[in-house]
Amino acid sequence: MILTLIPLGCGDGSSGSDGLLSDELSMPRVPTVALDSFASAEDCGVCHQAHYAEWAASAHAYAMKDPVFRAFVAIRQENYAGEQDKFCLQCHSPIGTRGGDIVAGFEFADLQPITLEGVTCESCHKAASLARPFNSGHVLDPDGPMRGTIAAPLGGSFHESQFSPLHGGSAFCAGCHDLREASGLVLERPYAEWQESPAAAVGVQCQDCHMPRYEGQAVAGGPTRTLHRHTWIGAGIPLLEGFVTKDEEAALRVEVKRLLAGAARVDIAAPAFVRAGDEVDLDITVKNNISAHNFPTGSTFNRQAWVEVVVRDGDGRVVFATGTLDARGEPRGSELLQLGSVLVDARGRRVLLPWRATEHVSNAIEPLRERVFRLRVATASAGRGPLSVEARVLFRAFSPEALRALGLDEYAARLEVHEVSRDVAGVELRPR
């Protein structure tokens, strides 16, 4: 396994005499905007029905409802006695954090509706500029126009509209999707990966894949224009039952599987034959087919991506296996082929909680690059030939073990393992 260290960056939070973590832009000590200056997504949906329906089933609408997120927040609240309560909320509810709704020791049940909308419409469309490409770096302008990518927007009675080139570029997404811990440790860096990618070199933006274009009406009865989907398909299905309808969940599952199906490719290189009892060398190559970012990307320390390899003899008996699931649903094998990253504390121990980490160790595959894993498989237990070799790249949004550690045992059963790619090969088993 090839390991690389993701370097420490500079933290943007500071602690005052009261110990509270703050940031002038995204975690202000006193409110910098008024909550009632922002419209609810439901209000936007009166005119923008299609975009509202897309948003309502999206990860942006899920941002403050996600039970995994809430569990992380609860532990951080306990660990820091409320002093860092704004850190995670600066991206998950930028309006609520800047509007003073997020205070030390807050409870979700007490928050205002606009705060609980998470990354709501005006979290993005009232952004006037980008101060930094990480940690909620957008500058909100509640009194300004609604900004977006329509080149010649029509004026309306509800709000003014303005074309914004910022909203069509990858840097806009970076404002929340690249993340640094309060310590400065880089946790998520899809934008930084994109900057160095083949996609960036030819001008392909995040929105080109995650907000596909289509022809439609931004406002009912308005002109037909080139619009963008507001579903932001990613790698996960909401674990919270009832967040989306059964039909919406089924449609979302199809889109997630489609996205993941083209993300990587696995190929097996095996010899034509092996003598019975000898070891057979297998080269398992995994290629990242994504031109814009690593595989996997985002919160890779929470994601699970691995290669399952199973070798069977001619009678179907398993001769070798790695990456199959154990009784607790975790990948097993002494030679487990994993992709992603781990968080490590000062004593070199793997940790689940980002604020306890001092290093972020990653072996995710860079855009359009490949990684070769070599396995040496004993054949002494094999019966008759030929040997069959199957390799699968598998992906899961979370680890069941992590959910249990967060006290979310009931959600572990809802986790899905997605097959990203599969390859098979045969090896003749010759007598000695």
Side-chain angles (χ1 to χ4, degrees), residues 293-427:
H293 57 69
N294 292 0
F295 176 79
T297 193
S299 54
T300 51
F301 47 89
N302 286 330
R303 307 297 190 210
Q304 283 189 313
W306 73 99
V307 186
E308 176 195 83
V309 181
V310 179
V311 181
R312 293 180 172 86
D313 66 14
D315 294 316
R317 292 193 299 265
V318 175
V319 175
F320 171 87
T322 184
T324 55
L325 299 182
D326 63 20
R328 292 179 60 80
E330 293 292 339
R332 60 188 162 194
S334 58
E335 299 181 79
L336 188 58
L337 313 181
Q338 293 180 297
L339 296 166
S341 69
V342 295
L343 298 172
V344 181
D345 68 12
R347 297 174 62 182
R349 301 171 302 184
R350 182 174 179 176
V351 293
L352 172 65
L353 305 174
W355 54 91
R356 295 182 182 173
T358 57
E359 291 183 337
H360 187 182
V361 186
S362 173
N363 77 330
I365 305 175
E366 296 175 342
L368 302 185
R369 303 292 293 274
E370 62 185 36
R371 176 132 330 122
V372 180
F373 300 94
R374 171 156 289 189
L375 295 173
R376 179 159 287 182
V377 177
T379 65
S381 64
R384 65 184 180 90
L387 301 177
S388 65
V389 184
E390 180 182 71
R392 298 193 298 159
V393 176
L394 301 174
F395 177 90
R396 185 162 51 189
F398 293 101
S399 155
E401 181 182 9
L403 292 188
R404 295 186 187 102
L406 292 169
L408 301 174
D409 301 53
E410 70 271 27
Y411 294 107
R414 285 180 56 81
L415 290 171
E416 292 189 50
V417 175
H418 299 276
E419 180 179 300
V420 178
S421 179
R422 177 198 298 251
D423 192 26
V424 295
V427 180

Side-chain angles (χ1 to χ4, degrees), residues 14 43 60 67 78 106 121 132-133 194 287 301 316 323 333 357 377 388:
S14 62
D43 293 335
H60 283 178
E78 180 180 350
F106 80 91
C121 306
R132 60 176 182 248
W194 172 86
K287 181 182 179 182
F301 47 89
V377 177
S388 65

Side-chain angles (χ1 to χ4, degrees), residues 7 47 73 76 102 113 140 143 175 183 200 233 250 281 323 415:
C47 294
V73 169
R76 191 165 189 138
I102 307 302
L140 294 183
D143 297 323
S183 65
I233 297 298
D281 289 330
L415 290 171

Side-chain angles (χ1 to χ4, degrees), residues 38-49 52 114 117 120-122 158-159:
F38 295 90
S40 165
E42 290 185 359
D43 293 335
C44 300
V46 172
C47 294
H48 304 279
Q49 295 98 329
Y52 173 75
I114 191 69
E117 285 189 9
T120 189
C121 306
E122 294 196 349
F158 192 79
H159 62 76

